[in-house]
Amino acid sequence: MENTGWRKPTPELVRANTLAKEGEACSVPRNQAIIACKRVAPAIGLRAGDLLVLDALVAFSHPKDWDAGARPIVWPSNDFLMDRTGLSLSAVKRRSRRLCELGLITYRDSSNGKRYGHRDAHGRIVEAFGFDLSPLAARVAEFEALNMQLQEERALCYALKRKITVARRTVRSLVETAIERLLSGDWRSIVRRLEALLSSYVPHRASVDQLAAAHEAFDTLLQETEDSFKEALKANERFSAQEIKNTEKMNSKEFENDTHIPITTEPNNVKSSSNEKIKKAPTASEQPKIVSDGRNDALGFSDTEGERGPTLKPVEIPVIMQACPGFADMARGVQPYLNNWRDLEYVADRLRPTIGISEDAWLSAKSDLGAPKAAAAFALITDKYSHGEVSSPGGYLRGLIGKAQRGELNLERSFYGRLSAKQVRM
């Protein structure tokens, strides 16, 4: 910047003037220059108002102004800038000064402090006073390299977040399985450590170093949980094997001490005493059927168990949570504990829009299936959707409604089937 007495030289203005001389030797298309700047705007401290002024200045220039040996100097009036940006005069002056301090533009002042310029017949600048955009041209390569670095950091952050998610879900799943199988171990301590890590983990504000430290902590907890789970399984297997041996010994002793073993082909060889009554096992049609009003702790879903195969246990909320871990993880974000069917219905109502089920389809499901069964169906659909097994949750729900209308819906087999498959994979 030539000192014309209009501005006091500052370190920022001197730096911008140095960059302007470097930019004069560069040949950079103006679109490439503004795009490179916008991609790293938050990283270099650019705000929305700064970008508005910078956009207006770049738009005022001509493509030939950005050739090597030329300087993209623009001379828009304050009224033009106010009209293009919608900012006040003081805001325009403040933003242009920030652009200069950030090393994106510099000032080229005339002797009388006015902005003006002239071009020749070919459109090249002959004389101009106003804002010099050469520093922006000089920093295009710097901005593109910075953008590459930022993209690599974003990719690393995304990978670390995914690993942390897998680790915390695996820890929770192992603890739930261990408690379900009554395996010995300090599972409460593991749960407390997991909750402590989750309370201090803020993914959307964490830097790469913070995410790396969090991943190391979650991974350490995962390894310790896996080791404890394996040891508990081995101990359980040893205990089971010892029980089998003890049972075999007891049976062999009873066989040796038994003096008489009746052998007969009669259907009822042993006569019962007068005080005993032989109870015949009820048939499938005589078995009591559990019918829920939507508020019980267990729910019998199928209407044709006797015709289709063996009767399954009534579906309980813990069974749904264990069979559908994807849904369980989402449900805990809405309500930490599901104690009854009202809680399950509440969670389903809250999560329904997040997986794309329309209100019309949801009301139809409640009407045709009943609220508890609709909530259980929602849990199944959500888990399948989270695992990529269902692409259209709304269409799948309408399909279940159609099955229910035809008398073919059998939800409990789906839940117990998923639970069995999960145990096999483990």
Side-chain angles (χ1 to χ4, degrees):
M1 179 185 71
E2 297 180 4
N3 190 356
T4 59
W6 284 96
R7 301 179 194 278
K8 182 185 294 185
T10 63
E12 291 80 9
L13 290 177
V14 173
R15 174 174 175 266
N17 192 43
T18 303
L19 289 170
K21 293 179 181 179
E22 297 175 4
E24 186 177 356
C26 300
S27 177
V28 180
R30 64 176 182 177
N31 288 342
Q32 180 182 353
I34 190 64
I35 289 173
C37 181
K38 286 181 177 181
R39 284 175 175 169
V40 297
I44 63 176
L46 271 179
R47 300 169 185 166
D50 305 333
L51 286 173
L52 285 174
V53 175
L54 184 61
D55 262 333
L57 295 177
V58 173
F60 195 89
S61 66
H62 291 188
K64 291 182 179 180
D65 301 342
W66 297 82
D67 294 339
R71 283 199 179 190
I73 301 173
V74 294
W75 52 94
S77 65
N78 288 333
D79 291 336
F80 174 85
L81 292 176
M82 291 165 62
D83 182 63
R84 290 295 296 267
T85 61
L87 300 174
S88 65
L89 177 59
S90 60
V92 167
K93 291 181 179 180
R94 186 170 62 253
R95 300 296 181 180
S96 60
R97 185 166 58 251
R98 270 184 54 79
L99 291 174
C100 184
E101 292 173 353
L102 291 172
L104 298 175
I105 66 171
T106 189
Y107 297 105
R108 186 177 179 85
D109 296 322
S110 63
S111 58
N112 58 4
K114 294 184 178 180
R115 302 175 200 150
Y116 63 91
H118 303 288
R119 296 181 182 272
D120 60 15
H122 301 288
R124 297 185 179 276
I125 296 175
V126 177
E127 184 182 29
F129 298 95
F131 300 101
D132 190 349
L133 306 179
S134 300
L136 177 60
R139 300 186 68 183
V140 170
E142 173 193 344
F143 291 156
E144 290 178 343
L146 178 59
N147 181 48
M148 291 282 292
Q149 179 183 348
L150 292 174
Q151 287 183 349
E152 292 175 358
E153 289 182 0
R154 290 190 195 104
L156 180 58
C157 288
Y158 179 75
L160 288 173
K161 289 177 183 177
R162 284 185 59 86
K163 291 178 180 178
I164 289 172
T165 301
V166 171
R168 66 178 179 81
R169 286 183 175 177
T170 305
V171 169
R172 195 184 296 277
S173 176
L174 288 172
V175 170
E176 289 178 353
T177 304
I179 295 174
E180 175 190 348
R181 296 188 178 185
L182 302 178
L183 299 180
S184 59
D186 191 5
W187 309 116
R188 293 177 180 268
S189 174
I190 293 176
V191 171
R192 285 194 295 268
R193 289 175 58 188
L194 178 62
E195 290 176 350
L197 288 175
L198 289 174
S199 63
S200 61
Y201 172 58
V202 186
H204 60 280
R205 296 181 182 177
S207 63
V208 176
D209 295 337
Q210 291 172 335
L211 287 173
H215 171 251
E216 184 177 357
F218 277 100
D219 190 57
T220 300
L221 179 60
L222 173 60
Q223 292 178 3
E224 293 179 4
T225 306
E226 288 178 340
D227 293 342
S228 300
F229 188 81
K230 290 177 182 177
E231 289 297 326
L233 280 180
K234 290 179 181 178
N236 189 57
E237 290 174 358
R238 289 194 296 267
F239 179 75
S240 300
Q242 186 63 36
E243 270 195 335
I244 292 173
K245 289 182 180 178
N246 293 340
T247 304
E248 289 177 350
K249 287 181 180 179
M250 291 175 63
N251 291 340
S252 62
K253 288 180 180 179
E254 290 176 0
F255 180 79
E256 291 171 0
N257 297 333
D258 198 357
T259 57
H260 176 69
I261 300 177
I263 300 176
T264 179
T265 58
E266 292 295 328
N268 188 8
N269 184 49
V270 181
K271 296 182 179 180
S272 61
S273 65
S274 59
N275 296 329
E276 294 178 347
K277 293 184 180 179
I278 300 175
K279 295 183 180 180
K280 186 176 70 173
T283 63
S285 61
E286 295 172 347
Q287 288 181 353
K289 185 177 179 181
I290 299 175
V291 180
S292 172
D293 60 353
R295 301 293 177 258
N296 294 335
D297 291 334
L299 189 65
F301 288 134
S302 177
D303 295 333
T304 57
E305 292 94 336
E307 299 175 2
R308 299 191 179 196
T311 303
L312 296 175
K313 295 180 181 178
V315 175
E316 300 176 353
I317 289 178
V319 173
I320 294 176
M321 302 295 281
Q322 293 165 15
C324 304
F327 166 77
D329 192 56
M330 295 177 65
R332 291 188 186 97
V334 177
Q335 186 156 327
Y337 301 100
L338 274 65
N339 299 317
N340 50 49
W341 291 99
R342 275 198 183 93
D343 294 343
L344 185 63
E345 294 166 27
Y346 171 75
V347 169
D349 286 333
R350 291 287 301 276
L351 293 178
R352 185 265 309 167
T354 63
I355 66 171
I357 293 179
S358 66
E359 186 176 1
D360 179 64
W362 183 235
L363 292 176
S364 298
K366 283 186 173 182
S367 174
D368 295 340
L369 304 179
K373 190 179 292 187
F378 175 83
L380 178 65
I381 294 171
T382 303
D383 192 68
K384 289 190 173 185
Y385 180 69
S386 66
H387 288 85
E389 301 174 33
V390 172
S391 58
S392 176
Y396 195 88
L397 179 60
R398 292 188 184 276
L400 293 183
I401 295 172
K403 281 189 174 183
Q405 292 172 348
R406 296 190 301 270
E408 300 174 357
L409 185 61
N410 208 331
L411 281 178
E412 77 279 16
R413 296 190 182 279
S414 299
F415 286 116
Y416 282 107
R418 294 180 77 80
L419 193 58
S420 300
K422 178 182 174 184
Q423 293 175 349
V424 169
R425 287 194 298 270
M426 293 182 60

